[in-house]
Amino acid sequence: MTEPRHFLSLGQLSKEELSELLDAADAVKAKPSSLGSKLKNKQVALIFEKPSTRTRVSFEAAVNALGGNAVVLRGDELQLGRGETLQDTARVLSRYVDALVVRTFAQDRLERLTEGASIPVINALSDFSHPCQGLADLQTIREKRGALEGVALGYLGDGNNVAHSLMFGGALAGMNVRIASPATHSPSAEVARRANLTAAQSGGSVVVTEVVAEAASGADVLYTDVWASMGQEGSSEARAEALEHYRLDEAAVELAADDVIVMHCLPAHRGEEIEAEVIDGPHSVVWDQAENRLHTQKALLAWLLG
Ligand code: CP
Ligand code: NVA
């Protein structure tokens, strides 16, 4: 049997594959019938070990719209909690369904699923990365800025899963990605190293800095995400203290290009990582960005399963 194609990180795509996926997402956005019933007779299991609004509903809607059937499960509804291994779980589910979409904690949990799976496993967010969000982000940036090559993206805040996917995806697309985080909350050095290698091939760049102005000055895109990701709520106070100066506020918008677009993967905490005036202001594209989760995931499912 041929190995299934998994989608665990944007770092696993080629530049051409990324363009194809974004083109397909644009096409299905413009004409929802363009992918027809690509998932006819296909079953997709969606497993959530963490909460979700956008990912869960947009995946379920995408599967249904393409004529497939979604089975949505919380992690604690499976036998995993009673000691069944991830490999065995994936082996069994591969006999029933055609793909697994999984939101979990450590990236290693996804890798263990792929060890047992004979069907595609899609990362619907892990502590390490959020590639489905990254795809929608790139679709949104391309839509709003007309291209990805050479676009300057300044990310302010926690160097988390969303930052990692922007680094991988932005590097692949030839963007100039600049991440500003305090040293205590900077993105993984290994991600920065790998993203830089990719950027060198595609004509982009990836810079990690502690200086907000280095990321925000002249930026075409400003991006932020929550200070405490799911599973980190216990350290919220310390995180807020460390990240206080990395808020996406009016001052950051002032430093950026006049027509900067403001992005946030959501859920947002107004007054924490982003000022209400900014997320609800004229530069914000967060609702279009959230909508694009649906289109990019349709394209992704059709690509992996159609
Ligand atoms: N952006 C995102 O993944 O949102 P949810 O956590 O609501 O799925
Ligand atoms: N970094 C956030 C993203 C939520 C979509 C988290 O992991 O909670």
Side-chain angles (χ1 to χ4, degrees):
M1 199 183 350
T2 53
E3 268 294 296
R5 183 80 198 249
H6 304 295
F7 184 69
L8 300 195
S9 164
L10 284 173
Q12 295 171 323
L13 292 181
S14 69
K15 192 173 185 180
E16 293 68 37
E17 287 168 339
L18 175 66
S19 295
E20 275 170 36
L21 276 170
L22 297 181
D23 289 346
D26 285 349
V28 77
K29 181 171 185 173
K31 190 171 173 231
S33 63
S34 68
L35 287 173
S37 297
K38 277 269 191 212
L39 297 192
K40 191 162 187 274
N41 299 325
K42 300 281 187 195
Q43 311 291 326
V44 179
L46 311 175
I47 299 172
F48 285 85
E49 296 190 327
K50 292 174 176 173
S52 172
T53 297
R54 281 145 289 273
T55 307
R56 190 205 138 144
V57 179
S58 58
F59 259 114
E60 194 169 351
V63 171
N64 293 339
L66 298 182
N69 181 54
V71 182
V72 187
L73 294 153
R74 285 203 324 263
D76 63 7
E77 291 171 322
L78 299 169
Q79 295 279 18
L80 287 166
R82 298 183 58 251
E84 187 162 29
T85 67
L86 288 156
Q87 289 89 337
D88 286 354
T89 302
R91 269 182 206 111
V92 172
L93 293 180
S94 296
R95 303 290 176 107
Y96 306 143
V97 303
D98 301 284
L100 296 179
V101 175
V102 183
R103 169 166 287 192
T104 189
F105 292 88
Q107 184 82 359
D108 169 62
R109 292 180 69 73
L110 295 167
E111 280 152 17
R112 279 185 277 157
L113 284 168
T114 65
E115 285 165 21
S118 53
I119 55 174
V121 176
I122 297 174
N123 178 0
L125 181 148
S126 67
D127 293 345
F128 175 71
S129 67
H130 196 0
C132 295
Q133 181 67 51
L135 275 184
D137 296 344
L138 294 176
Q139 183 187 18
T140 309
I141 295 166
R142 201 172 75 158
E143 188 174 81
K144 304 289 179 191
R145 311 254 43 147
L148 292 172
E149 283 84 3
V151 168
L153 181 146
Y155 175 100
L156 311 184
D158 187 28
N160 61 16
N161 45 8
V162 168
H164 288 164
S165 289
L166 288 169
M167 291 162 78
F168 281 132
L172 197 57
M175 292 172 60
N176 299 313
V177 179
R178 312 175 207 143
I179 310 284
S181 316
T184 46
H185 295 80
S186 59
S188 142
E190 175 59 14
V191 171
R193 190 190 66 79
R194 280 162 52 197
N196 260 303
L197 291 177
T198 305
Q201 302 277 314
S202 66
S205 61
V206 177
V207 172
V208 176
T209 173
E210 288 180 50
V211 182
V212 167
E214 274 181 33
S217 295
D220 303 303
V221 181
L222 282 175
Y223 199 118
T224 193
D225 183 19
V226 292
W227 287 344
S229 286
M230 290 177 275
Q232 299 175 330
E233 292 83 358
S235 56
S236 290
E237 232 168 88
R239 304 180 72 86
E241 201 172 310
L243 288 154
E244 173 66 26
H245 300 297
Y246 295 82
R247 177 173 295 116
L248 210 177
D249 56 12
E250 296 277 19
V253 173
E254 276 298 308
L255 288 174
D258 291 344
D259 60 349
V260 63
I261 57 168
V262 167
M263 301 179 71
H264 190 310
C265 61
L266 306 176
H269 298 98
R270 290 171 176 77
E272 291 183 33
E273 76 276 1
I274 192 161
E275 269 181 357
E277 292 73 13
V278 174
I279 192 167
D280 299 318
H283 296 283
S284 173
V285 300
V286 299
W287 313 117
D288 291 338
Q289 180 187 359
E291 177 189 323
N292 286 340
R293 296 295 304 276
L294 176 69
H295 310 304
T296 44
Q297 286 160 197
K298 279 184 182 172
L300 178 68
L301 288 164
W303 184 60
L304 291 173
L305 293 178

